Amino acid sequence: MQAADIIETLGMQRHPEGGWYVETYRDGNGGPRGHSTAIYYLLQKGERSHWHKVKDAAEAWHYYAGAPLALHRSKDGVSHETVTLGLDLAAGQRPQAIIDADEWQAAESLGDFTLVGCTVAPGFDFSAFEMAPPDWAPGR
């Protein structure tokens, strides 16, 4: 499948940080927010998940399909590291990465598209979501 086919098949919509998403799960326990949420998230070539953070929840990224994904993270807003999500374990890629609560993150596909999943606990709520200014990057 191509990215457009996946977007249509999964009923994805634009995400404010960039790319496409659809929520697939919201735990019914733990109030309206729930204990956890899950989404499919897709980035096409040239799209980027802009620097952002979830202030009060950890996020697990899971690789599913397409090209590897560069997941950038910064705990202090100054230095940063990159984890590559993918299946080439011998090359250092990993199928999963964890972003801690209040940690800056950004992502980009290293090919035509990447399909991943993101699980947030406690459940994701846009009130705890912070987008960095458009020209911000760690250390700037």
Side-chain angles (χ1 to χ4, degrees), residues 30-111:
R33 185 169 178 176
H35 293 296
S36 66
T37 53
I39 64 169
Y40 289 128
Y41 183 67
L42 186 140
L43 287 170
Q44 298 179 85
K45 186 175 192 170
E47 291 180 326
R48 181 177 175 87
S49 165
H50 296 283
W51 284 102
H52 69 283
K53 62 182 170 179
V54 181
K55 294 184 250 183
D56 63 353
E59 184 168 4
W61 287 67
H62 314 271
Y63 173 83
Y64 295 139
L69 181 92
L71 178 59
H72 311 288
R73 58 191 294 170
S74 176
K75 291 186 182 295
D76 60 9
V78 178
S79 60
H80 85 277
E81 67 175 346
T82 300
V83 176
T84 303
L85 293 181
L87 298 179
D88 190 348
L89 304 180
Q93 296 175 9
R94 295 295 179 256
Q96 182 185 85
I98 307 298
I99 302 293
D100 292 327
D102 207 36
E103 183 174 9
W104 289 104
Q105 57 181 302
E108 57 194 316
S109 177
L110 298 177

